């Protein structure tokens, strides 16, 4: 063998040894799945999680992310995490209740006055207890959650200025009983469509409209298939990082702390960018693209709240422990009062 070939062979062997050493150094692997694009604020947050966890653990944890629905939709990912096929998945306010019923409360229309109030609730001692109970009963641990803005209605039929304008509109909703009940209470025709099929359903006219935060409408070019947007802010959009509980408990305490910190950093990253979109950039960008954006006045906003308030209370107390529902509302009222002091 020539000297050049010997050097090349030795170099290749060194690279292989290095790669093997790196693989062997990772004691744990976190395989994660989410359904959003690699350009989304959510994915940017997950990249922060990956970078932080691998670095802070000194290479003891390797993180591998499958984005953009490569492993299926949101519910698919959560099901895979539940059985341990992967270790971490993307949850949202519309799907967590399929795995732990009390999480349904998070999708209640007009539950929170603003993002800041929601963040205080999510980090409250009360809700931390709910998260622990979810881990015990479902096998899934909610590591962190990030607001991606309040959900707003868009449609191709007419401007929606009050709840009465919803009548007859085929409004796409996620496969969530709460969303179905909300649109029905307003007089609309709720039509469940998976996220992955939403754009095509609007484009083909299967549905007249949909409801998502402003930033999502911009990111996914809904302006190309929707004419009208109403800033009614009916539900808090909430993305979460969810981990298989058995895997979480298998980690040494110091690595669990790193994983939780990384998840909080991911949530903060997504929240920061989405907050900027919702408050500054996205509405103007959609208007420039031709979408008509309407902000209901206080009287019009109240028509939406009044339309759903009674039906939602009845629905929640039918589906959940009434004492739990009352406790949630009391906790939020207490947090709201404390914020005013």
């Amino acid at each position: 063998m020539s000297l050049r070939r010997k050097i090349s062979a030795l170099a290749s062997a060194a690279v292989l040894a290095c790669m093997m050493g790196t693989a062997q150094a990772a004691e744990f692997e976190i395989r994660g799945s989410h359904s959003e694009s690699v350009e989304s604020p959510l994915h940017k947050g997950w990249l922060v999680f990956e970078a932080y966890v691998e670095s802070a653990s000194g290479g003891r944890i390797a993180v591998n992310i499958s984005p953009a629905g490569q492993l299926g939709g949101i519910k698919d990912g959560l099901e895979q995490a539940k059985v341990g096929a992967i270790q971490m998945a993307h949850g949202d306010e519309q799907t967590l209740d399929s795995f732990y019923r009390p999480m349904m409360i998070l999708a209640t229309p007009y539950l929170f006055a603003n993002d800041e109030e929601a963040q205080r609730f999510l980090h409250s001692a009360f809700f931390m207890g709910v998260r622990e109970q979810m881990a015990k009963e479902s096998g899934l641990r909610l590591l962190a959650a990030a607001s991606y803005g309040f959900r707003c209605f868009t449609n191709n039929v007419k401007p929606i200025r009050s709840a009465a304008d919803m009548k007859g509109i085929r409004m796409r909703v996620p496969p969530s009983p709460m969303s179905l009940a909300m649109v029905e209470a307003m007089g609309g025709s709720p039509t469940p469509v998976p996220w992955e099929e939403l754009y095509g359903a609007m484009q083909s006219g299967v549905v007249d409209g949909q409801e998502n935060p402003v930033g999502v409408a911009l990111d996914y070019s809904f302006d190309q298939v929707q004419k009208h947007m109403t800033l009614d802010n009916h539900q808090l959009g909430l993305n979460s990082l969810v981990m298989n509980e058995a895997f979480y408990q298998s980690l040494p305490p110091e690595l669990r702390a790193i994983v939780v910190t990384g998840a909080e950093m991911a949530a903060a990253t997504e929240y920061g960018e989405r907050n900027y979109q919702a408050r500054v950039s996205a509405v103007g960008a959609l208007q420039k693209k031709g979408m008509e954006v309407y902000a209901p006045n206080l009287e019009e906003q109240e028509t939406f709240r009044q339309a759903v308030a009674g039906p939602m209370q009845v629905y929640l107390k039918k589906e959940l422990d009434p004492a739990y529902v009352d406790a949630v509302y009391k906790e939020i009222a207490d947090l709201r009062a404390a914020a005013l002091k």
Side-chain angles (χ1 to χ4, degrees), residues 108-256:
T108 303
Y110 308 108
L111 180 66
F112 300 111
N114 50 54
D115 284 315
E116 293 73 25
E117 183 173 277
Q119 289 299 315
R120 289 193 291 271
F121 176 79
L122 293 171
H123 290 90
S124 67
F126 173 86
F127 192 67
M128 293 302 291
V130 176
R131 289 161 65 166
E132 286 297 325
Q133 198 62 30
M134 172 180 167
K136 291 177 183 177
E137 294 187 24
S138 73
L140 292 171
R141 173 172 292 269
L142 195 157
L143 296 174
S147 164
Y148 60 93
F150 280 91
R151 302 175 80 93
C152 299
F153 292 115
T154 68
N155 82 99
N156 268 329
V157 178
K158 60 184 177 180
I160 297 174
R161 296 188 173 93
S162 69
D165 293 326
M166 186 73 72
K167 186 175 181 180
I169 292 180
R170 293 170 298 170
M171 186 64 64
R172 177 268 176 179
V173 293
S176 161
M178 183 71 73
S179 296
L180 287 165
M182 174 188 67
V183 173
E184 284 179 349
M186 293 182 185
S189 177
T191 307
V193 176
W195 165 255
E196 296 77 16
E197 301 172 17
L198 173 55
Y199 192 94
M202 291 187 291
Q203 190 173 42
S204 63
V206 170
V207 295
D208 299 317
Q210 62 85 49
E211 42 87 52
N212 262 295
V214 178
V216 173
L218 177 63
D219 285 352
Y220 292 91
S221 301
F222 288 175
D223 56 278
Q224 296 180 5
V225 291
Q226 295 281 273
K227 297 177 183 177
H228 309 283
M229 170 176 280
T230 302
L231 303 178
D232 68 298
N233 296 333
H234 53 270
Q235 285 176 313
L236 180 73
L238 200 66
N239 278 330
S240 54
L241 293 89
V242 180
M243 180 164 280
N244 175 275
E245 174 67 359
F247 174 80
Y248 176 82
Q249 294 296 340
S250 76
L251 297 172
E254 69 275 13
L255 294 187
R256 286 183 217 159

Side-chain angles (χ1 to χ4, degrees), residues 2 32 85 196 233 263 266 277 294 319:
S2 68
E196 296 77 16
N233 296 333
Q277 285 181 329
Y294 183 75
E319 297 292 326

Side-chain angles (χ1 to χ4, degrees), residues 31-114:
R31 292 166 295 165
S33 168
H34 72 72
S35 64
E36 295 197 14
S37 79
V38 295
E39 302 299 326
S40 69
L42 179 144
H43 185 65
K44 293 173 185 176
W46 281 51
L47 291 178
V48 169
F49 174 86
E50 177 182 11
Y52 175 78
V53 169
E54 290 187 344
S55 174
S57 70
R60 295 175 66 189
I61 301 177
V63 179
N64 292 295
I65 302 167
S66 296
Q70 292 176 3
L71 300 183
I74 297 175
K75 192 170 183 180
D76 296 322
L78 288 168
E79 288 173 344
Q80 291 173 61
K82 181 177 175 67
V83 300
I86 59 177
Q87 288 70 48
M88 193 169 78
H90 162 208
D92 67 10
E93 78 287 353
Q94 305 289 349
T95 53
L96 287 179
D97 68 309
S98 297
F99 298 86
Y100 185 59
R101 197 67 170 166
M103 286 296 175
M104 175 192 294
I105 201 82
L106 295 175
T108 303
Y110 308 108
L111 180 66
F112 300 111
N114 50 54

